[in-house]
Amino acid sequence: MFKIRVICAPEDADRIRQALAAAFDIGPARQYPTRDGKRTRLYITADHRPTTPESE
């Protein structure tokens, strides 16, 4: 398990969350504004997807 922090434009947050969910097993994203209030910080806990016999 690892943690990911992304700083992005607020309008990109959903797209980034979806892309990470497609690549990893992720938990709920926590979203906060940056200090300047112009961007968004996403904090996501992720894990590698388990391997399946088809992918080996």
Side-chain angles (χ1 to χ4, degrees):
M1 183 183 303
F2 52 98
K3 295 181 182 182
I4 300 171
R5 180 180 68 171
V6 177
I7 298 174
C8 62
E11 59 271 10
D12 293 335
D14 287 334
R15 185 178 54 83
I16 290 169
R17 206 175 298 129
Q18 290 172 355
L20 289 171
F24 303 103
D25 284 334
I26 66 169
R30 294 171 298 163
Q31 186 170 334
Y32 305 101
T34 56
R35 290 184 186 145
D36 62 9
K38 296 178 182 177
R39 295 175 292 165
T40 297
R41 292 179 289 150
L42 297 175
Y43 293 92
I44 300 170
T45 302
D47 203 351
H48 294 283
R49 292 185 184 237
T51 58
T52 59
E54 297 87 33
S55 66
E56 292 180 346

